Amino acid sequence: MNLLLLEEADFIAADRVILRDRRLTHMQEVHRCVVGDSMRVGRIGGLMGSADVLRLEVSEAELRVTLDQPPPAKLPLTLVLALPRPKMLRRVFQTVAAMGVPRIVLVNSYRVEKSFWQTPFLEPEAIREQLILGLEQARDSVLPEVVIEKRFKPFVEDRLPAITEGTLGLVGHPGNYPPCPRGLDEPVTLAIGPEGGWIPYEIELLGKSGLNPVQLGDRILRVETAVTALLARLF
Amino acid sequence: MNLLLLEEADFIAADRVILRDRRLTHMQEVHRCVVGDSMRVGRIGGLMGSADVLRLEVSEAELRVTLDQPPPAKLPLTLVLALPRPKMLRRVFQTVAAMGVPRIVLVNSYRVEKSFWQTPFLEPEAIREQLILGLEQARDSVLPEVVIEKRFKPFVEDRLPAITEGTLGLVGHPGNYPPCPRGLDEPVTLAIGPEGGWIPYEIELLGKSGLNPVQLGDRILRVETAVTALLARLF
């Protein structure tokens, strides 16, 4: 935890918060805080800054906060991701939050196992928990938007064109395609497939909505690694 | 498993192998192989190609192999990595093997907890197991070399200069440094610090051995994500 994130409910005054949950445990056990210590904090959806520990007891801590710094810029990106297997999904939420993706659309694909859609990790609270871990890691206070699209075709045909408009549309896909571009400033819509990749029909449909295949080389990467590698290459 | 890796001990003739272990289980349970199926295979340290399933029983499979393709090129890189915490270490071994790092040096650092050096994940067989998983994922047959350097100063002063010679020496480090370069063709020696980063003394010593700091932006990434992001940016 490189940043302590504050919820609205933590505030008892404009500059005072009370913490009682895992953040208190973390302050005590990992940071070994004492009264008078200063910590980096951020208000979820708002500014970042510092907090002084005014009071620290077994069951709660009181902090005085100064919020005066903007969070780091997000990437100019919408990430369209075929739903990964549950264990990978949790890590991907952390990774995309840490890397500054502002919007992720989880979409079905032919090679997504149907059972993946039943995972409790898709519950809003479970998603938020992983996103928060990513923000705490990277020092960011703004949650990415997560959109869930269980049906591929209606999403790609009816809603994707509006997302892609005015952006560079790309699909990460192994094969004889142009290499993924580097160091872009422009907004991008990037689609990344499931384990085993998109099927040709899906590539064709994504293409009609303005997303064209690019590749990262012969190596087949796990979804989490592919996401990180593509984002690091693009921006 | 996108590639079935074959050990020397599997061969009963120049073009025949017998499999009995987790690879047999994987063929049966994940790939649902039947006699006559063809699979992608690679000989560890050698060529890649395909194998036909000649015989498939509960306890063993016999395959006829044709090895005629070179493995994918490795990155022109030596990665010097402060020893990550054990759970992260396992994933990092998979990631570096998958991404094509040919040599990784695990080194001590002030912010590496001493207990990390006791992990069973540093046993040669445990390292090899994770590297194999990475190679199977990415379709590569050549194991990276792993060097363990428990003492930072003697390694950096006495052995690092010979590694760095003739390469671009870089240290991934947050701060007011030049951005990490992109799309290099030249050989690189890249050092990546522990959680919490290198201390100034370590940065100074790495600098004397030819490694200069570069940064990836304000966001603090987990070690595994930082490794992937730096490699994807550099090459």
Side-chain angles (χ1 to χ4, degrees), chain A residues 2 72-75 91 94-95 97-101 134-135 137-140 182-184 195 216 218-226 228-235, chain B residues 2 72-75 91 94-95 97-101 134-135 137-140 182-184 195 216 218-226 228-235:
Chain A
N2 297 308
K74 297 284 192 193
L75 300 174
R91 285 219 304 275
Q94 289 188 34
T95 302
M99 294 198 73
V101 174
L135 296 180
Q137 165 67 42
R139 289 192 186 142
D140 187 354
R182 296 174 190 274
L184 300 177
E195 284 178 57
L216 268 185
D218 291 338
R219 294 172 180 275
I220 303 172
L221 302 177
R222 283 180 303 169
V223 172
E224 186 194 8
T225 310
T228 303
L230 283 161
L231 299 185
R233 176 89 61 130
L234 283 172
F235 300 107
Chain B
N2 297 308
K74 296 286 192 192
L75 300 173
R91 286 219 303 274
Q94 288 187 33
T95 302
M99 294 199 71
V101 175
L135 296 180
Q137 166 66 43
R139 289 194 186 141
D140 187 354
R182 296 174 190 275
L184 300 177
E195 283 178 56
L216 268 186
D218 292 338
R219 294 172 180 276
I220 303 172
L221 303 177
R222 284 179 304 171
V223 171
E224 186 195 8
T225 310
T228 303
L230 283 161
L231 299 186
R233 175 89 62 130
L234 283 172
F235 300 106

Side-chain angles (χ1 to χ4, degrees), chain A residues 121-181:
Chain A
F121 299 147
L122 278 174
E123 298 291 329
E125 272 312 297
I127 293 176
R128 191 174 193 273
E129 184 184 336
Q130 298 304 319
L131 296 176
I132 293 274
L133 289 174
L135 296 180
E136 287 175 346
Q137 165 67 42
R139 289 192 186 142
D140 187 354
S141 56
V142 180
L143 287 162
E145 177 190 1
V146 177
V147 180
I148 294 178
E149 292 282 0
K150 278 200 186 181
R151 296 175 63 215
F152 180 82
K153 190 161 179 275
F155 165 67
V156 174
E157 289 189 337
D158 303 340
R159 293 182 286 287
L160 185 57
I163 294 173
T164 311
E165 196 183 343
T167 74
L168 178 65
L170 303 172
V171 190
H173 195 60
N176 189 18
Y177 298 109
C180 178

Side-chain angles (χ1 to χ4, degrees), chain B residues 4-6 8 11 14 41-48 67 141-142:
Chain B
L4 182 72
L5 281 171
L6 306 172
E8 288 311 306
F11 283 83
V41 296
R43 184 175 195 144
I44 293 178
L47 294 174
M48 314 200 324
L67 298 169
S141 56
V142 180

Side-chain angles (χ1 to χ4, degrees), chain A:
Chain A
M1 193 190 290
N2 297 308
L3 181 76
L4 182 71
L5 281 171
L6 306 173
E7 312 265 356
E8 288 312 306
D10 301 325
F11 283 82
I12 56 166
D15 69 342
R16 293 290 165 99
V17 294
I18 301 271
L19 301 182
R20 292 193 185 87
D21 54 13
R22 74 173 176 95
R23 295 168 297 172
L24 175 64
T25 313
H26 194 89
M27 284 172 61
Q28 290 166 326
E29 294 181 1
V30 180
H31 289 299
R32 303 188 184 286
C33 281
V34 294
V35 168
D37 278 1
S38 179
M39 312 180 59
R40 284 172 187 263
V41 296
R43 186 176 194 143
I44 293 178
L47 294 174
M48 315 202 319
S50 63
D52 300 319
V53 181
L54 300 179
R55 187 163 59 80
L56 187 60
E57 292 163 17
V58 174
S59 63
E60 66 176 43
E62 183 173 345
L63 288 72
R64 180 176 48 222
V65 302
T66 308
L67 298 170
D68 53 7
Q69 297 154 29
K74 297 284 192 193
L75 300 174
L77 175 74
T78 297
L79 178 63
V80 176
L81 187 69
L83 183 68
R85 62 180 60 245
K87 200 177 149 188
M88 178 68 76
L89 176 65
R90 296 180 73 192
R91 285 219 304 275
V92 166
F93 280 135
Q94 289 188 34
T95 302
V96 299
M99 294 198 73
V101 174
R103 182 160 62 159
I104 171 168
V105 181
L106 292 169
V107 69
N108 197 30
S109 152
Y110 183 78
R111 294 210 177 101
V112 170
E113 286 183 30
K114 283 198 175 59
S115 65
F116 295 174
W117 289 105
Q118 309 306 320
T119 176
F121 299 147
L122 278 174
E123 298 291 329
E125 272 312 297
I127 293 176
R128 191 174 193 273
E129 184 184 336
Q130 298 304 319
L131 296 176
I132 293 274
L133 289 174
L135 296 180
E136 287 175 346
Q137 165 67 42
R139 289 192 186 142
D140 187 354
S141 56
V142 180
L143 287 162
E145 177 190 1
V146 177
V147 180
I148 294 178
E149 292 282 0
K150 278 200 186 181
R151 296 175 63 215
F152 180 82
K153 190 161 179 275
F155 165 67
V156 174
E157 289 189 337
D158 303 340
R159 293 182 286 287
L160 185 57
I163 294 173
T164 311
E165 196 183 343
T167 74
L168 178 65
L170 303 172
V171 190
H173 195 60
N176 189 18
Y177 298 109
C180 178
R182 296 174 190 274
L184 300 177
D185 284 320
E186 67 197 293
V188 172
T189 306
L190 171 67
I192 299 179
E195 284 178 57
W198 303 106
I199 61 171
Y201 166 78
E202 292 168 338
I203 288 290
E204 187 189 326
L205 220 60
L206 290 166
K208 284 184 188 161
S209 291
L211 273 60
N212 296 307
V214 291
Q215 50 83 20
L216 268 185
D218 291 338
R219 294 172 180 275
I220 303 172
L221 302 177
R222 283 180 303 169
V223 172
E224 186 194 8
T225 310
V227 168
T228 303
L230 283 161
L231 299 185
R233 176 89 61 130
L234 283 172
F235 300 107

Side-chain angles (χ1 to χ4, degrees), chain B residues 24-217:
Chain B
L24 175 64
T25 313
H26 194 90
M27 284 172 61
Q28 290 167 326
E29 294 181 3
V30 181
H31 288 298
R32 302 187 187 285
C33 281
V34 295
V35 169
D37 279 1
S38 179
M39 312 181 59
R40 285 172 187 263
V41 296
R43 184 175 195 144
I44 293 178
L47 294 174
M48 314 200 324
S50 62
D52 300 318
V53 181
L54 299 180
R55 186 164 58 82
L56 186 61
E57 292 162 18
V58 174
S59 63
E60 67 176 43
E62 183 173 345
L63 286 71
R64 181 177 46 223
V65 303
T66 309
L67 298 169
D68 52 6
Q69 297 155 29
K74 296 286 192 192
L75 300 173
L77 174 75
T78 297
L79 177 64
V80 176
L81 187 69
L83 183 68
R85 63 179 60 247
K87 200 177 150 186
M88 178 68 76
L89 175 66
R90 296 180 74 193
R91 286 219 303 274
V92 166
F93 280 135
Q94 288 187 33
T95 302
V96 299
M99 294 199 71
V101 175
R103 181 160 61 159
I104 171 168
V105 182
L106 292 169
V107 68
N108 196 33
S109 151
Y110 183 79
R111 293 208 177 103
V112 169
E113 287 183 30
K114 282 197 175 58
S115 65
F116 294 175
W117 289 105
Q118 308 307 319
T119 176
F121 299 148
L122 278 174
E123 298 290 332
E125 271 312 298
I127 293 176
R128 191 173 193 273
E129 185 184 336
Q130 299 303 318
L131 296 176
I132 293 274
L133 289 174
L135 296 180
E136 287 175 346
Q137 166 66 43
R139 289 194 186 141
D140 187 354
S141 56
V142 180
L143 286 162
E145 178 190 2
V146 177
V147 180
I148 294 177
E149 292 281 0
K150 279 200 185 181
R151 296 176 62 216
F152 180 81
K153 190 161 179 276
F155 165 67
V156 174
E157 289 189 334
D158 303 339
R159 292 183 285 286
L160 185 56
I163 293 173
T164 311
E165 196 183 342
T167 73
L168 178 64
L170 303 173
V171 190
H173 195 59
N176 189 19
Y177 297 110
C180 178
R182 296 174 190 275
L184 300 177
D185 284 321
E186 65 197 296
V188 172
T189 306
L190 170 68
I192 299 179
E195 283 178 56
W198 303 106
I199 61 172
Y201 166 77
E202 291 168 340
I203 289 291
E204 186 189 325
L205 219 61
L206 289 166
K208 284 185 186 160
S209 292
L211 272 62
N212 297 307
V214 292
Q215 49 84 19
L216 268 186

